[in-house]
């Protein structure tokens, strides 16, 4: 019986490592562009900065077909529930990059209409500062996200997501109970969380 | 110029006027607004470009409702202002100009000026139970919502705070 010599054609590794390697190199971005950061993002996707080098060239404008949410611009209180819904609809596992200061903290819009940081309503993985950030900064941000993905265990995100889905169920309950619109409820949830000294509602 | 023609046909209707390099502004009384609007429509000012407002808080009456017209044949522009106090309504122009619909809703939303005879006077931008009217000078920038500014080391300057109070 002749021994089969496999030589270099087989490599042993951990499942986590190979799954994460695949995930980090095939991110499917969903651009949620609401302001000038989206213009810089176009530049990042175009040939000069060529974001496809990082394996994330295929933009999907449907949340069902994407797993990296790029929030590019100011999110108003009225838009917060839309962002939550988009995030909820994305394919798991999903990541969020908050691009620019408006998305990250409200930025210069410290006003009645602007959500003071999207991390109050959805979980954020990477924050990219800048107003707007240069394409290099956004690329660096996504590279940081890739580093994060590599280190993840396969079930690490479960708890994270369950907490978010719970808050979404709570939001829907409040909406039905009070006959309120989604932005009224999200606003109330943000304010109630603030009174308890919490930074987020999820 | 159109201001002179209005003067001829409706003497005394113009309370104040201003003209500078083709920038024509007239101030009229709110009770005679519709008459004046019908007249300037006949004069060819048939495109209502914008309806907006201004809050000059210490002044009484505090609001200016500002209308911008364009005459499409002569390319003349006309600005018409109506001065109203808080809570006083202005006649709606929706019956004459379709473009007044959303513009008047926006002014109602952000300044709280009611428009009499508007078919659907609801907030256009803010949500239904939003407290107050944000473009009023006495509206606090953060909407009275301290969560907006808490945990932030560099807050407003005391001067800015006192303006908002």
């Amino acid at each position: 019986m002749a021994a089969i010599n496999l030589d270099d054609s087989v490599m042993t590794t951990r499942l986590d490592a190979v799954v994460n390697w695949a995930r980090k190199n095939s991110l499917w971005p969903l651009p949620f562009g609401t302001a000038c950061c989206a213009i810089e993002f176009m530049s990042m996707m175009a040939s000069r900065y060529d974001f496809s080098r990082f394996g994330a060239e295929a933009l999907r404008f449907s949340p069902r077909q994407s797993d990296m949410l790029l929030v590019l611009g100011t999110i108003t209180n009225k838009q917060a529930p839309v962002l939550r819904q988009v995030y909820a609809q994305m394919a798991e596992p999903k990541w969020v990059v908050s691009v620019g200061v408006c998305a990250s903290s409200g930025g210069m819009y410290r006003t009645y209409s602007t959500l003071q940081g999207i991390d109050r309503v959805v979980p954020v993985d990477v924050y990219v500062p800048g107003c707007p950030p240069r394409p290099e900064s956004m690329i660096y941000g996504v590279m940081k996200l890739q580093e994060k993905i590599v280190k993840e265990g396969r079930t690490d995100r479960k708890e994270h997501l369950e907490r978010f889905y719970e808050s979404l169920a709570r939001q829907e309950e409040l909406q039905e109970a009070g006959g309120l619109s989604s932005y009224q409820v999200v606003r109330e949830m943000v304010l109630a969380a603030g009174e308890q000294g919490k930074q987020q509602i999820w | 110029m159109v201001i002179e023609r209005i003067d001829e046909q409706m003497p005394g209707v113009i309370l104040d006027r201003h003209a500078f390099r083709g920038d024509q502004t007239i101030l009229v009384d709110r009770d005679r607004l519709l008459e004046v609007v019908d007249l300037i429509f006949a004069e060819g000012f048939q495109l209502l470009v914008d309806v907006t407002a201004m809050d000059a808080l210490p002044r009484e009456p505090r609001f200016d409702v500002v209308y911008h017209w364009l005459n499409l044949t002569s390319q003349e522009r006309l600005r018409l202002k109506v001065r109203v106090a808080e809570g006083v309504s202005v006649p709606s122009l929706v019956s004459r100009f379709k473009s007044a619909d959303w513009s008047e809703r926006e002014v109602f939303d952000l300044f709280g000026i009611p428009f009499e005879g508007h078919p659907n006077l609801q907030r256009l931008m803010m949500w239904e139970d939003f407290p107050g009217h944000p473009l009023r000078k006495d509206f606090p920038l953060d909407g009275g919502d301290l969560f907006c500014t808490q945990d932030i080391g560099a807050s407003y300057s005391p001067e800015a705070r006192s303006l908002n109070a």
Side-chain angles (χ1 to χ4, degrees):
Chain A
M1 195 168 131
I4 303 166
N5 187 2
L6 290 170
D7 277 340
D8 293 345
S9 55
V10 170
M11 192 174 78
T12 54
T13 180
R14 286 172 302 117
L15 182 60
D16 278 3
V18 71
V19 166
N20 286 341
W21 168 82
R23 282 175 177 173
K24 98 172 171 89
N25 289 310
S26 66
L27 289 166
W28 294 65
L30 169 72
F32 197 90
T34 50
C36 50
C37 289
I39 308 296
E40 292 297 304
F41 171 76
M42 291 175 211
S43 171
M44 169 176 122
M45 295 306 297
S47 51
R48 185 175 180 96
Y49 294 96
D50 192 16
F51 193 54
S52 53
R53 293 175 293 156
F54 299 87
E57 75 220 89
L59 297 182
R60 284 292 175 270
F61 295 92
S62 158
R64 303 280 187 203
Q65 299 169 354
S66 50
D67 59 7
M68 177 170 65
L69 179 63
L70 292 166
V71 182
L72 306 147
T74 324
I75 302 297
T76 57
N77 288 322
K78 214 171 167 180
Q79 200 160 27
V82 180
L83 184 70
R84 273 165 74 80
Q85 193 173 355
V86 165
Y87 178 74
Q89 287 174 338
M90 283 167 63
E92 288 175 33
K94 46 196 170 190
W95 300 275
V96 180
V97 181
S98 166
V99 177
V101 291
C102 293
S104 304
S105 72
M108 65 176 183
Y109 300 106
R110 189 147 294 146
T111 63
Y112 57 92
S113 59
T114 305
L115 183 66
Q116 303 294 304
I118 58 163
D119 51 2
R120 300 205 160 158
V121 296
V122 295
V124 175
D125 293 289
V126 176
Y127 301 85
V128 181
C131 186
R134 286 187 59 87
E136 293 98 317
S137 313
M138 293 189 198
I139 290 175
Y140 186 69
V142 177
M143 285 166 73
K144 281 283 165 202
L145 178 64
Q146 289 182 327
E147 280 172 27
K148 194 174 175 179
I149 293 171
V150 169
K151 288 178 200 150
E152 270 171 9
R154 266 176 311 122
T155 52
D156 278 2
R157 304 193 75 79
K158 275 265 189 278
E159 192 193 337
H160 197 65
L161 281 169
E162 267 160 25
R163 260 201 300 158
F164 176 79
Y165 292 137
E166 265 168 36
S167 83
L168 205 65
R170 204 164 70 236
Q171 180 194 329
E172 275 161 18
E173 250 171 54
L174 285 170
Q175 261 172 256
E176 274 171 36
L180 297 165
S181 56
S182 52
Y183 41 83
Q184 286 170 323
V185 168
V186 169
R187 183 86 186 127
E188 270 166 30
M189 286 168 79
V190 168
L191 290 176
E195 271 158 26
Q196 291 166 21
K198 280 200 296 183
Q199 289 291 330
Q200 77 272 353
I201 61 174
W202 47 273
Chain B
M1 298 300 261
V2 66
I3 300 185
E4 282 82 52
R5 290 200 297 276
I6 295 171
D7 245 349
E8 279 165 27
Q9 291 168 68
M10 295 177 73
V13 77
I14 299 177
L15 305 177
D16 194 9
R17 68 192 68 200
H18 164 85
F20 177 69
R21 296 192 180 178
D23 163 32
Q24 308 177 84
T25 307
I26 56 173
L27 180 75
V28 302
D29 191 61
R30 72 171 265 281
D31 296 331
R32 300 192 70 184
L33 175 67
L34 289 180
E35 289 173 58
V36 179
V37 167
D38 287 341
L39 173 64
I40 63 174
F41 186 85
E43 288 286 338
F45 289 84
Q46 300 187 345
L47 179 66
L48 177 59
V49 180
D50 195 15
V51 181
T52 178
M54 188 191 85
D55 183 9
L57 182 60
R59 195 190 70 188
E60 201 50 58
R62 63 188 280 194
F63 296 115
D64 272 354
V65 183
V66 186
Y67 301 86
H68 289 104
W69 269 282
L70 173 64
N71 184 332
L72 288 171
T73 30
S74 68
Q75 294 294 307
E76 266 182 293
R77 285 176 193 274
L78 176 66
R79 182 185 301 121
L80 189 151
K81 290 186 182 178
V82 178
R83 208 156 270 186
V84 284
E86 192 173 340
V88 176
S89 68
V90 179
S92 168
L93 300 190
V94 179
S95 56
R96 288 152 174 84
F97 296 93
K98 282 269 186 286
S99 67
D101 190 337
W102 281 22
S103 305
E104 287 179 352
R105 277 177 67 186
E106 185 189 357
V107 171
F108 167 71
D109 186 355
L110 303 179
F111 288 92
I113 300 171
F115 285 86
E116 212 177 306
H118 193 287
N120 181 29
L121 197 62
Q122 290 181 8
R123 283 184 179 276
L124 183 68
M125 292 175 171
M126 309 312 294
W127 49 96
E128 288 87 31
D129 66 346
F130 183 83
H133 303 283
L135 285 191
R136 287 187 176 192
K137 283 278 188 282
D138 52 3
F139 185 88
L141 187 61
D142 54 17
D145 158 18
L146 290 175
F147 185 46
C148 180
T149 46
Q150 79 179 15
D151 304 327
I152 294 162
S155 192
Y156 299 128
S157 65
E159 292 81 36
R161 275 232 174 268
S162 67
L163 275 180
N164 284 327

